[in-house]
Amino acid sequence: MPANQRDQVQEVPYRPVEFRDDDLPNALERASSWLRQTQDWLGEPVDVIAVHLDYDDTKGSPYYNLKLLCNEEDLAGVPRVVREQNTVTRQ
């Protein structure tokens, strides 16, 4: 825990989804495509908590490291599963 009482460690579970490439537009396009597919799968928008861009100068590694920090519950598919179960229950 942080020493100051005004500070805190937040209990927000998130899962980083990483897109690595030497070309930033390619990484962004793949991230965008993944978001669309995931939203279709969930049936609702993905809660993206943050977007983090980093660089890797290591020889042989992709230069750009783009991470989408997503709500872990969204990626577990909970909203869609609940809706599907409610639909089955009503029928």
Side-chain angles (χ1 to χ4, degrees):
M1 296 292 295
N4 192 304
Q5 292 179 349
R6 293 178 287 184
D7 301 333
Q8 64 179 332
V9 175
Q10 295 185 343
E11 295 181 24
V12 179
Y14 68 88
R15 186 174 305 217
V17 181
E18 185 175 50
F19 302 88
R20 299 181 65 175
D21 205 303
D22 287 324
D23 183 61
L24 183 55
N26 282 339
L28 290 166
E29 286 172 3
R30 289 200 319 274
S32 177
S33 176
W34 178 84
L35 275 173
R36 284 187 192 94
Q37 291 171 3
T38 303
Q39 288 180 170
D40 287 345
W41 180 76
L42 287 171
E44 66 184 43
V46 177
D47 290 334
V48 176
I49 299 165
V51 176
H52 177 79
L53 179 61
D54 204 353
Y55 310 93
D56 187 350
D57 288 334
T58 308
K59 186 175 182 178
S61 294
Y63 183 68
Y64 294 103
N65 184 355
L66 173 68
K67 290 183 186 178
L68 304 180
L69 305 182
C70 301
N71 183 317
E72 188 170 44
E73 184 177 288
D74 281 356
L75 297 185
V78 172
R80 183 174 184 183
V81 170
V82 168
R83 280 194 304 279
E84 288 174 356
Q85 286 178 349
N86 287 340
T87 302
V88 170
T89 304
R90 291 181 198 153
Q91 294 178 357

